[in-house]
Amino acid sequence: MKGKFFGSNTDQQRWLIIRQFILIWMLLTLALATAFWSVYKAQEKSMLAFIRDEERQTIKVSSQYVSEELRIVHDDIFYLRDQPVLHDWLEKESPQNLARLSGDLLAFVKYRELYDRILFLDENGRENVRIHRDRRQPVIVPARKLQDRSNLYFVEQALALNKDFIYISSFDLAIEYNKIEQPIKPVIRFGTPVFDQYGQKRGIILLSYQGQRLIDRLQAISQQGIGSLWLLNAKGYWLIGDRPEDEWSFMYPDRKNRLFADDYGEAWRSIIEHPEREQFMVDGDLFSYGEILPKALFGDIREGVVSGDERWLLVTRVPAEKFFARNVIQARVLAFIELSLLLGIASWLIAHHRIRRRQIEEEASASDARFRGLVESAPDAIVIVNQEGRIVLVNAQTELWFGYSRDELLGQLVEVLVPERFRMHHQSYRQAYTNNPVVRLMGAGLDLYARRKDGSDFPVEINLSPLETKKEKLVTSIIRDVSARKHAEEERRASEVRFQVLLESAPDAIVMADKEGSIVLVNAQTELWFGYSRDELLGQPVELLIPERLHTDHRKYRQTYWENPLVRPMGIGCDLYGRRKDGSEFSVEVTLSPLSIGREMFVISIIRDITTRKQAEQAQREAQAKYQELVNNLRVGVYRHTPAKGCFTKANPAMIAMFEAESAEQLQAYPIVDLCRDKGCWQVFMDKIRQQGFVDNEEIPLVTLKGREFSASVTAAMKKDSAGNTYYDGIIEDISERKEAERHIQQLNTALRERAMVLESVNHELEAFSYSVSHDLRAPLRAVDGFSRILLDEYADRLDDTGKDRLQRVRAAAQRMATLIDDMLKLSRITRSELKREEVDLSAIAGDVIDELRRQEPSRTVLCTIQSGIIVWGDARLLRIVLDNLLGNAWKFTSKRVDAQIEFGMQRQDDETVYFVRDNGAGFDMAYAEKLFGAFQRLHETSEFPGTGIGLATAQRIIHKHSGRIWADSEVGKGATFYFTLEARENL
């Protein structure tokens, strides 16, 4: 055949190979191209999705940073507006107050690096205070360099605002003396008006946020991203762009035509016309954008924010060339060409092999068809395996019985048809048969099983027969399904087992006895309950399981039963007992059933242990008795009534006493409506119960059987019994005393409100009196001080030393009196002020107070220890006053010590947190401690330690407003410790 194939048919064979080669190569090349294209598109889609997500995240992170960065300004500007030092200066525009205000603002700028400058401008737009950064360090601008900024747009806008409004300027460049500062400083200005205590607008606080911080952060985010990140204003001008000359062009007249729309017109139109898109493609470039609304920077208070810019736009652009690099595409084309050539070689080999195989198969198919016809017609499954145990042929019956297709079996080990539990041993049996192949029955005397594709087994008989061919030795297995025969055998055995399983699994004890009363069968439950083993019971009289006192009667009952054997319960209406092996007894129920087996008669006793049920019944009876006792002992009335009778059907003793009845029967004879003062109120009450199903604490006026009226609170619920009949259970409580108490409380509340109104009127009068006194006293004091100063200045040459000394004393006394009036007014204001509670860092406030004291006396050396992390819940402004007084006193009274020490901290005492200020100064005698917190009370001479004696009184009132306590501990010459507490936040 080989010579024929490569001889006369050589040209035809080559032509067939070429045709097969071309077809296979084209199909493989097409598949390869499809795969390359699919991979390319999938990667392109994945890359685009990845870049889209990255750009969205860039916009989101940038927007969050801008919002979080600028949201801080809201708290800062209101903090500066409400500073007590600012309002002190507004109240008294003295150089000292101005210096304090400038110092506080300078410290704030040092602490907050967000701001380039802070200004306070009066109502005319003129600077009163300006702090700006000079070479990155904040400095106070001298008065001679302060400017009139009323012509600037953001000053005009801020001055026009109402109270608590904030103005946010456009994001632009800082201007100084009407020119853009060089180098340029991007800024955003925040302004809010300042009102004095009389509601008069006195000017504005203006913060210049350093915009370069925001720009640097956005540029850092841009460098981490894929595309470029830009910032635009609402008109499309560049705030951050790729080219510096494009940025801030709206600030320069010669560059105002440099807009985002000039470079990316279609993208700008999409942003303006379709703001909801957030992402879009233009000419292959990916644009992503998001908007920042200045009015929304501070949350939900948009109505109180006026903004110069409507919005700022964050825009990113990823150019098309970043999606796929050109060298990647070239590499893929080269790879495709190389793989295509390799596929061409493989296609030629495949085509050559297929043509040769087809010729051989055509010649073998004819002889193979005859053999297969014989095998396919066999009624049994036939499986032929080679010496390696691999299946080489199966017939249709094999496919039918085993569930495999022919292709699934061919080439598989024959063990695939053997249950897994037999496979290991089957291989050794197969090898032994291969060594001695004879026609025989497989596994004679054993139960053989085959395994289907679904994993199920079925019994079989197998005949083995060796088959030798030219190539190899084979084994023919003829397999017969014996499931039907096995099933019949198993059914018979199962029927025998079922009765035994049923007997042993029964939850009750089962005892079968013959006609003479001998036990012939018991189950496991009988052994468990009675304590006997099976062998101990079989053959014994059934009376063994009955208490001895009942043996005689039971034998009579057993004889009587055989006269009329029926299925029935034993001992109806009697308490039955079983007896255990240990002699103990337990309650049982017994059901008798006759059984005839052949000519013999038996009785089956099904015994149920009802000990638990008996115990439950007893427990229920006891619970019912306890419940009745509880109801009878209640001090409130408990009742039940039905709609049909209209009277109480049940009532406890409290009900009988409440209605002044002589007995329950007497009370139950009265209609309920006759016990109501208002005859219609009971019907209204019943209607509510029917609508709602229950009524709680309904107040109803009732009448006793003797005619006494009383107020009652009635609670009732509608219920139904097992027959579906409606009844009502309820509780009645006599609330006459409570109603009388409520009337008394109402009278007290009315009197209290009237007294509160009187006190409020007195407080208003006292406030007016304080203001009038302070105003009327200050004028003559200023006159005394002024004229005394004139005498000293103009007539000093005519006065002797005694006269000069006395005039100086007059001036000092007048000034001290003015200070006392100011302190008295401050104390009055603190008493009337409302608390604005928030989290307050006392450690930080203490640090600020110490820093201020050091600046006032830089020559002093004081060791100050401040415990960190002391956070409380209170009014920050008032607590600052407390620490100003306590730490100021410690600073003052340690002035005469070289080794001065001051400590602020907290500790736990008696399960509460106590805060303290300790010093090693002059101290005081504890005998005078009661005077410490009185107004104008001093324990030291003014010449020794200056002061008015109002500080500790002020501190005490603030601590009391915080529901706290303040006290002191001291020893003369050894310093003093002042302790105070504050109401904890969780107790408020």
Side-chain angles (χ1 to χ4, degrees):
M1 186 191 89
K2 184 176 179 180
K4 179 179 179 182
F5 184 77
F6 290 100
S8 60
N9 293 328
T10 300
D11 294 338
Q12 182 180 3
Q13 177 192 3
R14 288 177 179 173
W15 173 242
L16 289 173
I17 292 174
I18 291 171
R19 285 172 56 191
Q20 287 282 324
F21 158 72
I22 293 172
L23 179 62
I24 294 172
W25 185 54
M26 290 179 64
L27 291 175
L28 291 176
T29 303
L30 179 61
L32 179 64
T34 302
F36 264 75
W37 178 254
S38 299
V39 170
Y40 171 79
K41 294 305 289 183
Q43 290 185 347
E44 181 183 40
K45 183 177 180 181
S46 175
M47 178 63 74
L48 180 59
F50 172 76
I51 293 176
R52 282 180 179 273
D53 290 341
E54 284 293 308
E55 295 306 287
R56 286 194 194 97
Q57 190 65 22
T58 298
I59 294 293
K60 182 179 179 181
V61 169
S62 301
S63 179
Q64 288 178 347
Y65 171 76
V66 173
S67 298
E68 293 172 0
E69 176 79 359
L70 299 184
R71 193 172 294 126
I72 300 171
V73 182
H74 173 267
D75 296 334
D76 287 348
I77 198 166
F78 281 148
Y79 166 77
L80 294 174
R81 182 200 67 181
D82 296 334
Q83 267 199 313
V85 67
L86 172 59
H87 289 274
D88 289 344
W89 181 77
L90 291 177
E91 184 176 346
K92 182 179 181 180
E93 297 182 358
S94 64
Q96 294 85 356
N97 286 342
L98 183 61
R100 288 179 57 207
L101 175 60
S102 301
D104 280 8
L105 294 181
L106 179 66
F108 182 84
V109 176
K110 285 182 180 179
Y111 171 69
R112 286 286 200 208
E113 297 183 355
L114 279 69
Y115 308 112
D116 178 62
R117 63 185 62 175
I118 296 180
L119 302 91
F120 175 72
L121 298 91
D122 63 20
E123 62 271 23
N124 298 316
R126 174 131 190 114
E127 296 176 344
N128 290 138
V129 179
R130 186 173 92 201
I131 312 296
H132 74 182
R133 294 186 182 273
D134 185 6
R135 299 175 183 174
R136 301 181 63 84
Q137 293 298 319
V139 297
I140 301 174
V141 176
R144 66 180 182 278
K145 292 187 178 181
L146 298 179
Q147 304 176 41
D148 182 358
R149 295 182 177 269
S150 59
N151 62 329
L152 298 178
Y153 75 93
F154 50 85
V155 174
E156 295 177 354
Q157 294 287 343
L159 284 171
L161 296 178
N162 293 325
K163 189 176 182 181
D164 295 332
F165 275 60
I166 294 178
Y167 175 74
I168 305 176
S169 76
S170 300
F171 196 172
D172 54 22
L173 301 178
I175 297 176
E176 190 70 19
Y177 299 107
N178 296 322
K179 293 183 181 180
I180 298 173
E181 282 195 53
Q182 296 297 331
I184 64 172
K185 291 182 179 180
V187 293
I188 305 173
R189 304 165 192 86
F190 295 80
T192 189
V194 177
F195 290 77
D196 62 19
Q197 61 180 346
Y198 307 105
Q200 184 73 26
K201 185 185 294 185
R202 301 293 299 277
I204 58 171
I205 285 286
L206 198 66
L207 304 183
S208 290
Y209 171 80
Q210 297 190 73
Q212 192 60 43
R213 283 170 53 93
L214 188 145
I215 292 172
D216 292 342
R217 179 57 181 162
L218 293 180
Q219 288 176 342
I221 294 173
S222 177
Q223 292 174 0
Q224 296 172 2
I226 299 173
S228 301
L229 174 63
W230 303 323
L231 180 64
L232 312 173
N233 64 15
K235 295 181 179 180
Y237 285 102
W238 301 86
L239 305 182
I240 302 176
D242 285 338
R243 301 187 298 271
E245 60 270 16
D246 291 340
E247 297 173 347
W248 315 106
S249 59
F250 61 91
M251 298 289 293
Y252 301 93
D254 58 336
R255 288 161 49 188
K256 284 195 173 182
N257 60 344
R258 296 190 178 182
L259 294 160
F260 176 86
D262 296 332
D263 295 335
Y264 305 101
E266 187 174 348
W268 179 250
R269 284 192 297 275
S270 180
I271 292 173
I272 297 302
E273 296 173 3
H274 305 286
E276 74 283 354
R277 289 184 180 174
E278 296 185 354
Q279 272 191 341
F280 55 88
M281 302 287 291
V282 174
D283 298 331
D285 295 347
L286 174 64
F287 288 87
S288 307
Y289 66 93
E291 67 178 11
I292 301 172
L293 302 177
K295 293 190 68 171
L297 288 174
F298 305 143
D300 297 327
I301 58 170
R302 299 190 181 189
E303 293 79 10
V305 179
V306 178
S307 174
D309 282 337
E310 176 187 355
R311 60 176 179 168
W312 301 318
L313 293 173
L314 288 165
V315 181
T316 65
R317 170 180 171 265
V318 181
E321 56 268 17
K322 283 196 176 183
F323 288 93
F324 281 98
R326 187 179 302 277
N327 56 351
V328 175
I329 298 175
Q330 292 175 350
R332 290 181 175 173
V333 171
L334 290 175
F336 175 80
I337 294 172
E338 292 174 357
L339 290 174
S340 180
L341 292 176
L342 290 174
L343 289 176
I345 297 171
S347 299
W348 176 264
L349 296 175
I350 293 170
H352 185 272
H353 175 72
R354 289 184 63 185
I355 296 300
R356 286 195 62 216
R357 190 178 66 182
R358 185 186 302 172
Q359 293 292 335
I360 295 171
E361 289 174 352
E362 287 176 355
E363 292 186 359
S365 62
S367 60
D368 190 35
R370 291 190 296 272
F371 175 74
R372 288 186 179 276
L374 178 63
V375 172
E376 293 296 329
S377 61
D380 297 327
I382 297 177
V383 178
I384 299 178
V385 300
N386 59 19
Q387 288 181 312
E388 288 77 28
R390 296 193 177 275
I391 300 172
V392 298
L393 184 143
V394 295
N395 66 347
Q397 201 68 10
T398 305
E399 294 180 281
L400 177 63
W401 285 357
F402 286 90
Y404 290 97
S405 67
R406 204 175 301 253
D407 292 337
E408 289 177 310
L409 289 174
L410 295 179
Q412 298 293 327
L413 289 172
V414 72
E415 279 76 21
V416 74
L417 304 178
V418 177
E420 293 183 0
R421 61 186 182 277
F422 301 133
R423 288 180 182 177
M424 184 178 297
H425 297 297
H426 185 268
Q427 292 177 358
S428 60
Y429 297 152
R430 176 166 51 79
Q431 188 62 42
Y433 182 84
T434 303
N435 296 334
N436 184 25
V438 294
V439 177
R440 66 175 175 84
L441 189 66
M442 177 178 172
L446 301 176
D447 290 332
L448 302 183
Y449 292 90
R451 182 180 181 276
R452 300 185 182 92
K453 181 179 180 180
D454 62 7
S456 60
D457 296 351
F458 62 100
V460 294
E461 285 183 350
I462 303 175
N463 286 303
L464 303 176
S465 176
L467 176 63
E468 188 170 350
T469 66
K470 294 180 179 180
K471 295 182 179 180
E472 57 184 339
K473 293 181 179 179
L474 306 174
V475 176
T476 302
S477 303
I478 301 175
I479 305 169
R480 177 165 295 167
D481 186 353
V482 295
S483 298
R485 189 175 71 198
K486 289 286 186 181
H487 181 70
E489 295 174 355
E490 290 174 357
E491 278 294 322
R492 179 176 56 80
R493 288 193 296 269
S495 63
E496 295 174 354
V497 172
R498 273 195 294 270
F499 175 75
Q500 187 66 30
V501 170
L502 178 63
L503 181 70
E504 295 299 329
S505 62
D508 297 328
I510 297 176
V511 178
M512 188 167 74
D514 58 18
K515 209 166 183 180
E516 285 71 33
S518 297
I519 299 173
V520 297
L521 182 144
V522 296
N523 67 346
Q525 201 70 3
T526 304
E527 296 180 278
L528 178 63
W529 285 358
F530 287 90
Y532 291 98
S533 68
R534 202 173 301 242
D535 293 337
E536 289 176 311
L537 288 174
L538 295 179
Q540 296 295 324
V542 73
E543 282 76 19
L544 180 66
L545 306 178
I546 297 172
E548 292 183 3
R549 67 183 183 279
L550 303 176
H551 283 187
T552 302
D553 292 337
H554 184 269
R555 292 189 185 95
K556 295 178 182 178
Y557 296 147
R558 178 160 49 80
Q559 293 297 327
T560 303
Y561 178 79
W562 286 117
E563 295 174 3
N564 185 23
L566 297 173
V567 176
R568 63 175 177 82
M570 176 180 172
I572 298 174
C574 300
D575 290 333
L576 304 182
Y577 297 93
R579 181 181 182 278
R580 301 185 182 92
K581 182 178 180 179
D582 61 6
S584 61
E585 299 179 5
F586 61 100
S587 298
V588 295
E589 281 182 351
V590 183
T591 300
L592 303 176
S593 176
L595 175 64
S596 175
I597 302 177
R599 295 182 179 182
E600 292 189 71
M601 290 294 294
F602 300 90
V603 61
I604 297 177
S605 303
I606 300 175
I607 305 167
R608 177 165 297 172
D609 185 350
I610 60 171
T611 303
T612 304
R613 189 175 75 194
K614 288 285 188 181
Q615 292 172 348
E617 291 172 354
Q618 179 62 26
Q620 184 177 6
R621 286 192 294 271
E622 292 175 357
Q624 184 65 28
K626 290 180 181 178
Y627 170 75
Q628 188 61 44
E629 182 182 2
L630 174 64
V631 171
N632 291 339
N633 291 334
L634 288 175
R635 298 184 63 185
V636 297
V638 180
Y639 72 87
R640 173 175 293 178
H641 80 92
T642 59
K645 292 186 177 181
C647 299
F648 295 124
T649 57
K650 291 184 179 180
N652 70 338
M655 280 280 290
I656 298 170
M658 187 185 304
F659 284 94
E660 298 180 338
E662 295 180 359
S663 64
E665 291 75 13
Q666 183 185 14
L667 178 61
Q668 293 168 4
Y670 267 77
I672 298 177
V673 294
D674 292 344
L675 298 174
C676 298
R677 188 177 67 190
D678 181 2
K679 302 300 181 181
C681 68
W682 188 256
Q683 185 59 43
V684 174
F685 177 72
M686 294 303 299
D687 291 341
K688 282 186 180 180
I689 298 179
R690 295 188 187 97
Q691 291 174 3
Q692 302 174 186
F694 66 94
V695 172
D696 286 336
N697 298 318
E698 182 80 7
E699 293 187 5
I700 300 176
L702 299 177
V703 180
T704 68
L705 271 60
K706 295 182 179 181
R708 180 178 60 83
E709 296 182 358
F710 67 96
S711 297
S713 173
V714 185
T715 298
M718 183 172 64
K719 299 181 179 180
K720 289 188 177 183
D721 58 20
S722 58
N725 298 317
T726 301
Y727 65 93
Y728 303 93
D729 283 346
I731 296 173
I732 300 178
E733 181 180 2
D734 186 346
I735 60 171
S736 300
E737 294 182 1
R738 189 178 76 192
K739 297 292 286 185
E740 182 61 29
E742 289 176 355
R743 281 193 295 272
H744 182 63
I745 291 171
Q746 183 65 31
Q747 293 172 355
L748 292 176
N749 286 337
T750 301
L752 185 61
R753 281 194 297 271
E754 293 173 354
R755 185 176 180 184
M757 292 173 63
V758 172
L759 288 176
E760 185 177 359
S761 176
V762 170
N763 280 336
H764 286 311
E765 293 175 2
L766 181 60
E767 184 177 352
F769 174 74
S770 298
Y771 178 78
S772 175
V773 167
S774 65
H775 184 271
D776 294 344
L777 288 178
R778 278 181 177 148
L781 285 174
R782 282 196 296 269
V784 170
D785 183 48
F787 283 115
S788 298
R789 181 176 54 80
I790 292 172
L791 287 173
L792 286 172
D793 291 345
E794 297 182 3
Y795 298 94
D797 55 342
R798 301 182 188 180
L799 297 173
D800 57 10
D801 292 340
T802 302
K804 292 178 183 178
D805 178 65
R806 290 176 179 174
L807 281 175
Q808 288 172 349
R809 288 188 180 186
V810 169
R811 288 200 65 200
Q815 291 170 359
R816 174 171 172 77
M817 185 63 182
T819 303
L820 287 173
I821 292 171
D822 290 340
D823 289 344
M824 181 178 67
L825 289 176
K826 288 180 182 178
L827 181 62
S828 175
R829 281 198 295 270
I830 287 172
T831 303
R832 298 192 307 271
S833 63
E834 294 184 3
L835 292 182
K836 297 180 180 178
R837 293 186 184 269
E838 59 182 325
E839 279 196 352
V840 181
D841 189 343
L842 288 185
S843 299
I845 292 177
D848 292 342
V849 172
I850 294 297
D851 291 343
E852 181 64 25
L853 292 170
R854 291 186 191 278
R855 282 194 295 271
Q856 293 174 3
E857 295 187 65
S859 60
R860 285 193 61 186
T861 300
V862 180
L863 176 61
C864 297
T865 304
I866 299 175
Q867 182 176 338
S868 61
I870 301 179
I871 307 298
V872 300
W873 184 253
D875 189 307
R877 182 177 63 85
L878 296 181
L879 293 176
R880 169 64 185 249
I881 294 173
V882 171
L883 291 182
D884 276 337
N885 283 303
L886 296 181
L887 291 172
N889 282 350
W891 184 273
K892 177 171 60 178
F893 289 108
T894 56
S895 60
K896 301 186 183 304
R897 293 189 66 100
V898 178
D899 59 340
Q901 296 180 7
I902 298 174
E903 181 183 0
F904 171 66
M906 71 175 182
Q907 62 190 29
R908 295 289 294 178
Q909 290 184 5
D910 299 329
D911 294 331
E912 69 174 337
T913 301
V914 177
Y915 310 93
F916 63 86
V917 174
R918 181 179 292 122
D919 65 70
N920 64 342
F924 60 86
D925 189 345
M926 287 296 291
Y928 304 103
E930 293 182 357
K931 295 183 178 181
L932 276 178
F933 301 104
F936 308 113
Q937 297 292 326
R938 294 179 48 81
L939 303 183
H940 299 84
E941 293 295 332
T942 306
S943 59
E944 185 181 5
F945 296 104
T948 62
I950 203 70
L952 289 178
T954 302
Q956 184 188 52
R957 295 198 183 184
I958 293 174
I959 295 300
H960 286 174
K961 286 179 74 69
H962 284 79
S963 301
R965 299 178 293 114
I966 184 168
W967 68 96
D969 184 23
S970 177
E971 187 175 347
V972 177
K974 294 185 179 180
T977 303
F978 283 83
Y979 301 92
F980 64 91
T981 65
L982 300 171
E983 182 74 5
R985 182 176 185 178
E986 58 269 17
N987 295 335
L988 294 175

